[in-house]
Every structure is written in C-alpha cells, then in structure tokens.
C-alpha cells in the first residue's frame, strides 16, 4: 500500500507542477506572476535537496544537520566556475554535483563510525565551519556581499528563462531534474543498495553478517545525498544569479530536515509532500510578523502529533493496517525441499576436509577470559555442536569465528586460510553465514526484503547499472526475487512475504533468520541457539532442516542447550566450560562423559547411573 500511495501522490504533484505555468490561460487571469513562478521553482529546488536528505535520514538512518552547507557548496561551485573560470552551464552543473558528493564522502568516512547525537554534532560543526569560511574569505566568496553577476544559464546557445517573455524552459529544466531525482531515489531504494542502507540502519550486526560493508554503504548514502544537495545548490545559483552565505545557515539545515520528517522519512513521496506543505506554510506565515516562529512550530507540532510517521508514512501505515487486518495467512510446512533449493548448498567442500580449525584460541575482556586456548577441528558436511553451561564461551567463540570479536591470541582457519583479523562482511563473502542468539531481523522491512538482503553479496551490477536499470541489474534482481521466494517456501513463510518482520511470531522469526542466512549460500553455517523459544514440533522441523542441509553438503556449527536435539542431529560434539574444552567426541560418548555431567549437574554421575570403566 505504501508504494501505491507514494506513486499516486507523486503523479498528482508532478501533473500540478507541469500545468502550473499555464494556469492563467485556463482561468483567464494573470497568474502565476514571475514572483510566484520563482517561488515554485525555489520549492522544487528544495525538494531535490530534501530527496537527497531523505535517502540519508529515511533509509540509511543517519541524521545530518549540515545539509544546507552541502547545498551552499553546490551553489558556490556553480557560481565560481561560471564567474571565475567561464565554465558553461552544463559543465558547472556537473561539477556542482561531483564536488559536494566527494566532500560528502570524505565527511562521511570518519563520521558514520559514530551514531546518534555524536553524528548530528559532527554535521553541525561542518555546517558552521563552512558558513564561517564563506563569511570570512571575502576575496574568494565575496563575504556578505556574495557572488553577483552570475551569467544566465545557456544550453546549446539558448538562454534559459522562467517567464512568459523569456519562456518557461528553466522552469521545466528544474522540473526535469526533480523528476530525475525522484527516479534515482526510487531506483536506489528498490535495489540492493537501498536494502543494504535500511538493513544497516536497523541492525548493524545482521547487516555485517550478511556481507554488507556498513561503513561503505553509509558513505555511499552520504555521497548521494550530498550530490543531490549540490545539484539543488547549482540550480538555485542559476535561478537567483546571486549567492552568499546567508541562505545556507544552520536554520536552513533544520528546515530541510523538518521537510523530510513532516512528509514522512523513508517514503518516496514524503520529501515532496513535506517540502510543498512546509514551504507554502512559510510563505503564508511571513505575514504573522513576530508570531511567525510560533505559528511555524505550532503547525509542525500539530501535524506530527496527529501523524507521528509524517503525512505519507502515517497514511501508508493506516492503509497497511487495514489490509493486514483483512488478510488471512497460513504457515506452510518446513523444511519444504522445493525445486531449486540445490542453489542453497551449491558452495560446499568434499566430505571429511577441515572446514574450521582453531588452535589455542583465546579471547579476553579485560581480566575476564571468555575463551581459553580452544582447539577445534570441524569437518566438512557435518553438524558440529558446541554445548556447555551458560557463560561457557560458546557464543563468544562463534563471534570470533565470524569476525565480530578479534581473538586475543591463537589462530582461526576457515577453508584452509587464516582469517583471524578479517571483518564479518568479508568472511560472509567467503561463505560464512550465521544466526544470532537473540534474533537480529530487520524489523521494519518485509519478510521478503529480509531474505533479499541475504543475497546482497551475489549481485555484480554496479551503482550506475542499478540506477539506470540496465539489463544485468534486471536479470540479477529477477533471479534474486525467485530465489528469495523459494527460500520462503522452504521455511513455510510464503504467505508472510509482504508482512513486516517484526510482526511475525517468535517461531516464525527464527525460520526467517535461517532463510536469510541460507540466502548467502554459505559453505559454513553458524547457528546460535536456533531452537530457543520454539515448540516441540518446530524443534523437530529444525532437526530435519539441519540434518538435510548437512546431508546436501553444508557444514554446520550448532550452539544449543536442547540436549535431545543435539544428540539427534550432531555428528560431533565439543563441550565448553569456563571457556575451556572439557570434552570432544561423538554424541554417544559425550552423553556419558563424567566431566560433562559434572559441568551440567555439579557431580560426576546422575541418579542411578554408574561411571563407565
């Protein structure tokens, strides 16, 4: 429902904007005037900047309060290139996009490593520094006097204008760029890049475990957002033919952010709706004089109190809620070995090889030793269980193997290669997938989108191919959708494909997390307490799933407290206690090992049991 509503609103706004210069021909009045046309053009330019900010805030989950500075950078690049270097309009426009995008990427690289208020403070500092440079570097930027005399834009020898006398070609040029911005936003969101941005915003750990370079994808979001801001700045400079620092202050950054939030961050139409309403309200409230700020704040408070997700987001949520209430869903059987599931286990090794080896693996947190000199040899195409009491170091060991923790000492080798210092997203690309002790789903994404994120590493189409929807991207996206639907059928969740993941029952969330890990097509699958919270029937299904995957060539390391399940599914069991290996061998031998019994029950024998000789 949300995409349909966004498309409807976008079509309505675009048709209105396209017809606006000709309203006077219909109603027989001198409307709009040149002033009113310029206001609408300014609003369209702000909408372009807001669309870029929406990619950063609404999809990547990063709050920037320095967007006006990037907007101003684009304006000054365009003005300086035209005035000082004599660049033609098209070339200056191109550099006005590329230079802010590069600055945005440089700003992002150290910035995206922090979150929340720290990120906001860094972007505020960037905006304040930028404005002060513009004000103080008078010889270059003109200071308070600004840059005047910018030549009117010209394309192919034709001067662009926005009045009845000069033609509406500049008005429609801005509209074309606005449509292009909307198209780029839609293409980006409905691609692996957009899914990766949303995934990183909702669960960094899960995103990294699925092969997403979180720093890289956030840097890309910053660069794209800055490029949109630079484009808006260049269009503004060529509209006003004058720029100075007063247009690009911190207050302008706040207004841009409010436009996104008011319309509905994370929606396609939100930036346009928010810009239209807030920009129009600003013009109206100017007549209130000293009460303008009060009226401005009251309007925002009323709208956001009534529609907390913004206008488009709240309306979409309402429509989605009604549709969900009417739908009935049935859970399918699992594991359901549907046609085409051989791709899931396509990356495997020959039986009996050492897939995972640890030697002297130690992990310390200050004075606490979580894992102590652990030696493990996991053979390919087997289920190797790690068991032990709470706090024995099982999950810590998985975190080291999957790259989330760095070992204090010792070695980890996977597929014959030492991987001790590699980050999680690199290990995921090499065929290591995992689930988490506490489910790490992307709750605000649909069930289908969660599985599609798991296929992120299998795409080969680049950024431009994705934005332009070139053939290779289309082929890969179709193949990814088909495989994602097969995986959902495999775990019995086909009927829930369009449901948000956070709305699933807990047992279904476990199924989804496994399906998402399988989308990576791993050679080594690390399962951290997958049976926690499942019913007896669901545990039996899970046993069949794990056993079926191992029989089809996948290597599985299983951390679990459910002893009956361990004995039913495992080929070998390693027992940890206080971070040390106290037993290792076949399940039958482990079951009667006195050291294991003592670790679990506090004494070496169970009632009625004698220790074997």
């Amino acid at each position: 429902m949300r995409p349909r509503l966004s498309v409807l609103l976008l079509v309505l706004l675009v048709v209105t904007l396209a017809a606006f210069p000709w309203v006077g021909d219909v109603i027989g009045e001198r409307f709009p005037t040149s002033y009113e046309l310029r206001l609408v053009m300014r609003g369209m330019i702000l909408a372009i900047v807001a669309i870029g900010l929406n990619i950063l805030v609404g999809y990547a989950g990063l709050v920037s309060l320095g967007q006006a500075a990037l907007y101003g950078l684009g304006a000054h690049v365009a003005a300086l290139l035209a005035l000082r270097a004599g660049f033609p309009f098209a070339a200056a426009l191109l550099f006005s996009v590329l230079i802010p995008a590069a600055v945005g990427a440089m700003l992002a690289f150290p910035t995206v490593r922090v979150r929340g208020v720290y990120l906001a403070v860094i972007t505020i500092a960037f905006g304040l520094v930028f404005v002060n440079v513009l004000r103080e570097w008078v010889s270059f930027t003109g200071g308070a006097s600004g840059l005047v005399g910018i030549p009117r834009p010209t394309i192919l020898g034709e001067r662009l204008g926005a009045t009845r006398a000069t033609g509406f070609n500049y008005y429609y040029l801005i509209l074309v760029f606005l449509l292009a911005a909307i198209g780029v936003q839609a293409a980006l969101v409905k691609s692996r890049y957009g899914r990766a941005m949303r995934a990183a915003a909702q669960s960094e750990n899960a995103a990294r475990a699925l092969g997403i370079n979180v720093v890289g994808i956030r840097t890309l979001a910053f660069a794209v957002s800055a490029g949109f801001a630079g484009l808006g700045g260049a269009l503004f400079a060529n509209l006003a033919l004058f720029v100075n620092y007063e247009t690009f202050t911190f207050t302008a950054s706040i207004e841009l952010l409010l436009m996104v939030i008011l319309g509905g961050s994370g929606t396609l139409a939100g930036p346009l709706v928010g810009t239209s309403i807030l920009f129009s309200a600003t013009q109206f409230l100017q007549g209130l004089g000293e009460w303008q700020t009060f009226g401005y704040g009251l309007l925002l408070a009323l709208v956001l109190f009534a529609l907390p997700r913004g206008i488009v987001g709240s309306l979409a949520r309402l429509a989605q809620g009604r549709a969900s209430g009417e739908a009935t869903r049935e859970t399918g059987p699992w594991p359901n070995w549907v046609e085409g599931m051989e791709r899931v286990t396509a990356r495997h090794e020959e039986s009996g090889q050492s897939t995972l080896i640890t030697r002297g693996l130690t992990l310390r947190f200050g004075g606490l030793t979580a894992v102590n000199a652990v030696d493990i040899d996991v053979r390919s195409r087997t289920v190797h269980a790690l068991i032990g009491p709470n706090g024995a170091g099982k999950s810590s060991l998985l975190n080291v193997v999957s790259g989330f923790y760095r070992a204090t000492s010792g070695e980890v080798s996977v597929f014959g290669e030492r991987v001790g210092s590699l980050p999680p997203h690199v290990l995921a690309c090499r065929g290591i997938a995992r689930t988490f002790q506490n489910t790490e789903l992307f709750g605000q994404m649909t069930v289908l989108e969660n599985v599609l994120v798991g296929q992120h590493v299998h795409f080969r189409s680049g950024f431009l191919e994705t934005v332009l929807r070139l053939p290779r991207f289309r082929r890969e996206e179709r193949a990814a959708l088909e495989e994602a639907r097969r995986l959902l059928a495999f775990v019995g969740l086909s009927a829930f494909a369009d449901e948000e993941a956070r709305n699933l029952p807990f047992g279904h969330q476990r199924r989804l997390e496994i399906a998402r890990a399988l989308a990576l097509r791993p050679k080594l699958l690390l399962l951290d307490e997958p049976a926690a919270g499942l019913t007896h029937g669901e545990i039996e299904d899970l046993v069949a799933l794990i056993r079926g995957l191992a029989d089809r060539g996948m290597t599985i390391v299983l951390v679990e407290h459910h002893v009956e399940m361990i004995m039913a599914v495992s080929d070998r069991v390693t027992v940890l206690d206080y971070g040390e290996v106290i037993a290792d061998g076949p399940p039958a031998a482990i079951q009667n090992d006195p050291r294991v019994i003592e670790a679990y029950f506090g004494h070496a024998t169970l009632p009625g049991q004698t220790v074997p000789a």
Side-chain angles (χ1 to χ4, degrees):
M1 293 299 296
R2 182 180 296 181
R4 290 181 186 175
L5 180 61
S6 291
V7 170
L8 180 62
L9 290 171
L10 287 172
V11 170
L12 182 62
L13 282 169
V14 169
V15 170
T16 302
L17 289 171
F20 183 72
W22 309 99
V23 172
D25 294 348
V26 177
I27 64 176
E29 297 181 8
R30 195 174 183 278
F31 179 87
T33 63
S34 296
Y35 173 74
E36 290 158 343
L37 272 173
R38 292 174 71 86
L39 278 181
V40 173
M41 293 165 72
R42 176 77 189 282
M44 288 194 290
I45 290 170
L46 289 175
I48 292 172
V49 182
I51 287 171
L53 187 58
N54 184 48
I55 292 171
L56 190 63
V57 175
Y59 295 105
L62 304 172
V63 178
S64 171
L65 291 173
Q67 202 71 1
L70 295 166
Y71 177 37
L73 178 60
H76 280 77
V77 167
L80 288 166
L81 289 178
L83 285 171
R84 308 280 173 86
F87 273 48
F89 171 70
L93 196 68
L94 177 62
F95 280 100
S96 297
V97 174
L98 295 179
I99 291 176
V103 171
M106 289 187 290
L107 174 66
F109 190 73
T111 301
V112 295
R113 299 172 190 272
V114 298
R115 297 297 303 274
V117 67
Y118 301 103
L119 173 62
V121 167
I122 291 174
T123 57
I124 290 171
F126 169 72
L128 294 176
V129 168
F130 177 78
V131 169
N132 275 280
V133 168
L134 294 183
R135 183 172 54 233
E136 301 298 333
W137 197 359
V138 178
S139 61
F140 192 64
T141 66
S145 300
L147 299 170
V148 297
I150 300 172
R152 288 192 176 277
T154 302
I155 294 182
L156 300 177
E158 183 177 351
R159 182 170 291 186
L160 304 181
T163 65
R164 292 188 180 277
T166 61
F168 298 122
N169 43 17
Y170 194 59
Y171 176 94
Y172 284 110
L173 179 67
I174 295 175
L175 180 58
V176 166
F177 277 117
L178 176 59
L179 293 175
I182 295 169
V184 170
Q185 177 188 223
L188 193 61
V189 169
K190 300 296 182 182
S191 73
R192 65 163 173 145
Y193 294 106
R195 292 190 292 264
M197 289 175 190
R198 295 165 65 196
Q202 295 175 40
S203 175
E204 287 186 34
N205 286 338
R208 294 164 69 196
L210 294 170
I212 296 172
N213 184 341
V214 172
V215 172
I217 202 67
R218 287 176 174 164
T219 301
L220 175 65
F222 247 103
V224 172
S225 178
F228 276 100
L231 172 62
L235 293 173
F236 170 75
N238 285 280
L239 172 65
L241 305 181
F242 162 79
V243 291
N244 78 344
Y245 67 86
E246 293 178 352
T247 309
F248 313 108
T249 60
F250 174 68
T251 302
S253 290
I254 295 292
E255 290 176 354
L256 288 166
L257 182 61
L258 290 176
M259 288 173 184
V260 174
I261 295 172
L262 178 64
S265 63
T267 63
L268 293 177
L272 276 174
V273 173
T275 302
S276 301
I277 292 175
L278 204 58
F279 188 69
S280 300
T282 301
Q283 306 307 315
F284 172 77
L285 292 173
Q286 284 179 351
L288 297 180
E290 60 185 12
W291 289 93
Q292 178 181 348
T293 304
F294 174 80
Y296 189 69
L298 180 62
L299 173 66
L300 286 173
L302 289 174
V303 172
L304 293 179
F305 181 78
L307 303 170
R309 293 175 176 269
I311 296 170
V312 178
S314 297
L315 292 176
R317 169 64 63 178
L318 180 63
Q320 187 179 37
R322 289 179 177 175
S324 298
E326 297 169 358
T328 57
R329 300 177 178 85
E330 294 185 2
T331 305
W334 76 301
N336 178 17
W337 298 97
V338 295
E339 184 180 354
M341 281 308 299
E342 66 275 2
R343 286 174 63 85
V344 170
T345 55
R347 303 170 64 187
H348 60 78
E349 298 177 299
E350 294 298 324
S351 179
Q353 293 183 348
S354 293
T355 296
L356 168 64
I357 300 173
T358 69
R359 292 290 180 262
L361 188 64
T362 300
L363 176 66
R364 294 190 182 94
F365 299 101
L368 174 66
T369 301
V371 179
N372 187 20
V374 169
D375 294 339
I376 293 178
D377 190 344
V378 178
R379 296 289 173 173
S380 60
R381 308 180 73 144
T382 64
V383 179
H384 194 120
L386 297 176
I387 67 172
N390 287 328
K394 306 180 296 297
S395 294
S396 296
L397 180 59
L398 287 194
N399 286 332
V400 173
V401 172
S402 56
F404 285 91
Y405 293 160
R406 188 167 184 175
T408 306
S409 61
E411 296 181 2
V412 179
S413 297
V414 182
F415 316 129
E417 180 183 1
R418 291 180 60 181
V419 296
S421 60
L422 295 178
H425 70 273
V426 174
L427 293 175
C429 294
R430 298 191 179 187
I432 300 177
R434 67 164 297 174
T435 65
F436 293 85
Q437 186 174 358
N438 298 314
T439 55
E440 293 269 1
L441 296 177
F442 310 123
Q444 296 177 37
M445 299 174 70
T446 67
V447 170
L448 181 62
E449 287 173 331
N450 268 263
V451 181
L452 285 171
V453 173
Q455 299 184 63
H456 179 82
V457 300
H458 303 311
F459 283 83
R460 295 293 175 265
S461 50
F463 182 77
L464 287 178
E465 288 177 285
T466 299
V467 170
L468 298 176
R469 289 299 198 256
L470 296 183
R472 182 163 70 162
F473 165 78
R474 293 180 181 276
R475 288 195 302 270
E476 290 181 339
E477 191 74 7
R478 281 195 301 269
L481 278 169
E482 291 173 4
E483 186 166 335
R485 294 190 185 282
R486 281 197 297 267
L487 281 164
L488 290 181
F490 176 56
V491 297
L493 294 179
S494 293
F496 297 84
D498 296 324
E499 183 71 64
E500 286 190 354
R502 60 183 173 181
N503 296 333
L504 293 180
F506 187 77
H508 288 34
Q509 291 186 12
R510 287 290 187 190
R511 296 190 191 194
L512 176 58
E513 192 173 32
I514 291 172
R516 189 182 65 184
L518 293 177
L520 197 65
R521 301 177 208 156
K523 290 190 287 185
L524 174 62
L525 177 61
L526 312 177
L527 299 176
D528 196 350
E529 299 191 26
L534 300 186
T535 64
H536 179 72
E538 289 173 326
I539 290 175
E540 290 181 346
D541 289 336
L542 181 60
V543 169
L545 168 68
I546 293 173
R547 196 64 260 170
L549 291 172
D551 292 342
R552 286 165 173 79
M554 191 174 293
T555 307
I556 299 171
V557 176
L558 173 65
V559 170
E560 188 52 68
H561 284 292
H562 199 285
V563 177
E564 291 182 3
M565 175 183 170
I566 290 295
M567 297 306 159
V569 77
S570 303
D571 298 301
R572 192 171 187 86
V573 179
T574 299
V575 187
L576 297 178
D577 191 27
Y578 294 105
E580 298 181 352
V581 176
I582 61 171
D584 183 79
I590 295 297
Q591 193 171 15
N592 296 311
D593 192 307
R595 293 170 297 175
V596 177
I597 297 171
E598 184 174 8
Y600 272 96
F601 300 104
H603 46 80
T605 60
L606 295 174
Q609 182 188 45
T610 59
V611 179

